Amino acid sequence: MSSFAGVSVLADGELCPATASTVGTNEVCGYHLLVVHDYSRTTEEAPTGESISSRPFMVGGHCWINKYYPNGEDSDSADFISLELSCLQDDVNKKHVEAKVVFTFIDQVKMQNPVYIAEAETCSFHDFSRGRHKFMRREALEQSSVNLNDDSFTIRCDIMVSSCNTKDDAATSTRVPLPHMCQHFEDLLYTEVGADVEFEVGGGRLAAHRCVLAARSKVFMSQFFGPMKEGTDKTAVIQIKDMEASVFRALLSFIYTDTFPDMEDDDGMEEDGMSQVAEQEQENETLEDEMRLQWLQLVCSADRYDVQRLKFICARKLSEHICVSSVMSTLALAEQHHCHGLKEACFKLCGRLRNADA
């Protein structure tokens, strides 16, 4: 897993002096958080090409710095926010450092997995900075209730140092390779090698491994190896009722990888995937309704099979997407499945609605 390398906070349009990235890490894989408060002020005061920098932080034995461009790095990216990473080195001991870099919003958990980061393009940090010059269109960010909250957002920068060409850097050649357990278990699920149980759900069949399911779920443990096992024929196909195939597949994916299933399209940040916000407003509302429904279904399935971490993650996501049309149904689900945080979020929204009508 990535090691925490520190946090920098931007407030009132500049780096807050009360924060510093003093933690750092010599691990090959680490991440830094850049918290941007008063976003609107940064866009008003910083012209295109001007950046606000984080404090220096350490990852993989090297010193790094993040740069945030509120109005883009250049004229080509003037409608976007830009992010950049630089490796700080002196001219005498300059090294040819190679690393993989991934910028995400703080809640994009799947993209922060070391398995995902390892698939990113390797960048050279000899004389150049690297980054996402068109990270996200400002108009889309300003209309997002997920990424921008109270005029603030948090960017996570994951760095995976892959090589350094100096002879005295012996630690590089002796470092233990990063774990790929999540990827290995995901491959095991989708290749079905050694699978010994089959489920029928939504008109299709899914194969899995009893030991993996039992290790992650008390319900499966009881079903396969507890008192209920006597009524479970190993050759029989287990019927899954009242659940869509995509939801059960997402449940299995989480059980195998401990990573939140990819239930949404993250391409909204890319320039090629962006259209005019006004033209896509209706489509975005439909997609958000579909995501909310999938999260509702995942809460039910996670509670049914006692996968508490998945239940908590889905409930948290739902609490961030409650709207007037869905608050009562969400409240009923929170009550039924004992999601206390989600229940409180629903009550808060109801309270705001009552005050608005008063």
Side-chain angles (χ1 to χ4, degrees), residues 55-352:
R55 293 191 180 278
F57 58 95
M58 298 292 294
V59 173
H62 302 286
C63 188
W64 307 85
I65 193 168
N66 277 324
K67 293 183 179 180
Y68 157 61
Y69 295 81
N71 288 292
E73 184 187 25
D74 51 33
S75 59
D76 187 48
S77 56
D79 294 331
F80 297 76
I81 64 169
S82 300
L83 301 171
E84 191 174 80
L85 176 70
S86 299
C87 184
L88 303 181
Q89 304 185 64
D90 59 62
D91 293 333
V92 177
N93 299 311
K94 185 170 291 187
K95 304 175 182 178
H96 184 83
V97 180
E98 292 187 346
K100 298 175 184 292
V101 183
V102 175
F103 287 102
T104 60
F105 286 108
I106 188 65
D107 62 342
Q108 293 176 305
V109 181
K110 183 171 184 177
M111 298 172 67
Q112 297 159 7
N113 191 304
V115 175
Y116 181 95
I117 300 168
E119 299 297 322
E121 179 184 358
T122 299
C123 301
S124 173
F125 288 89
H126 182 58
D127 293 313
F128 306 99
S129 299
R130 302 292 181 179
R132 292 280 300 277
H133 298 161
K134 296 183 179 180
F135 179 69
M136 189 173 191
R137 194 179 292 271
R138 283 197 309 279
E139 187 176 10
L141 175 62
E142 291 161 8
Q143 295 195 13
S144 170
S145 60
V146 179
N147 299 320
L148 186 66
N149 292 299
D150 296 326
D151 205 31
S152 302
F153 62 87
T154 300
I155 296 295
R156 170 166 164 158
C157 175
D158 279 273
I159 305 171
M160 183 181 291
V161 178
S162 54
S163 67
C164 181
N165 68 349
T166 56
K167 295 180 180 180
D168 58 345
D169 194 1
T172 301
S173 60
T174 60
R175 285 179 180 140
V176 177
L178 285 170
H180 292 286
M181 184 177 291
C182 291
Q183 185 64 56
H184 295 160
F185 272 85
E186 186 176 33
D187 292 342
L188 191 66
L189 173 63
Y190 290 111
T191 61
E192 301 181 1
V193 173
D196 57 1
V197 63
E198 197 168 16
F199 299 93
E200 184 172 326
V201 52
R205 292 194 176 187
L206 295 171
H209 306 78
R210 292 170 183 257
C211 288
V212 177
L213 300 182
R216 299 276 285 152
S217 163
K218 293 180 181 178
V219 175
F220 281 127
M221 175 66 80
S222 178
Q223 182 175 2
F224 296 143
F225 303 107
M228 295 173 57
K229 70 177 182 179
E230 296 178 0
T232 305
D233 184 357
K234 286 189 176 182
T235 62
V237 176
I238 300 176
Q239 304 287 330
I240 304 296
K241 300 179 180 179
D242 304 323
M243 189 182 302
E244 294 182 4
S246 61
V247 176
F248 189 69
R249 188 179 298 109
L251 172 68
L252 292 184
S253 176
F254 184 86
I255 286 176
Y256 275 73
T257 67
D258 202 44
T259 301
F260 188 73
D262 189 9
M263 303 289 285
E264 60 183 300
D265 184 5
D266 287 322
D267 291 337
M269 292 189 297
E270 298 294 340
E271 180 186 18
D272 293 340
M274 291 290 298
S275 300
Q276 294 297 322
V277 175
E279 296 177 358
Q280 291 203 351
E281 183 175 355
Q282 186 62 42
E283 181 180 348
N284 290 340
E285 290 178 359
T286 302
L287 289 173
E288 188 164 335
D289 289 340
E290 291 176 355
M291 284 188 294
R292 189 181 298 113
L293 177 60
Q294 290 172 331
W295 293 333
L296 286 168
Q297 293 172 329
L298 271 176
V299 167
C300 298
S301 63
D303 192 38
R304 176 174 169 179
Y305 289 98
D306 196 20
V307 185
Q308 292 301 312
R309 176 171 152 79
L310 176 59
K311 173 183 165 182
F312 177 84
I313 293 174
C314 292
R316 185 178 63 183
K317 285 186 171 291
L318 282 169
S319 68
E320 297 170 352
H321 292 77
I322 304 173
C323 60
V324 176
S325 61
S326 67
V327 64
M328 297 312 297
S329 60
T330 304
L331 179 59
L333 175 132
E335 182 71 30
Q336 180 182 357
H337 297 281
H338 310 289
C339 302
H340 303 296
L342 180 57
K343 186 177 177 179
E344 291 179 3
C346 291
F347 282 144
K348 286 182 180 179
L349 177 57
C350 291
R352 289 197 297 268

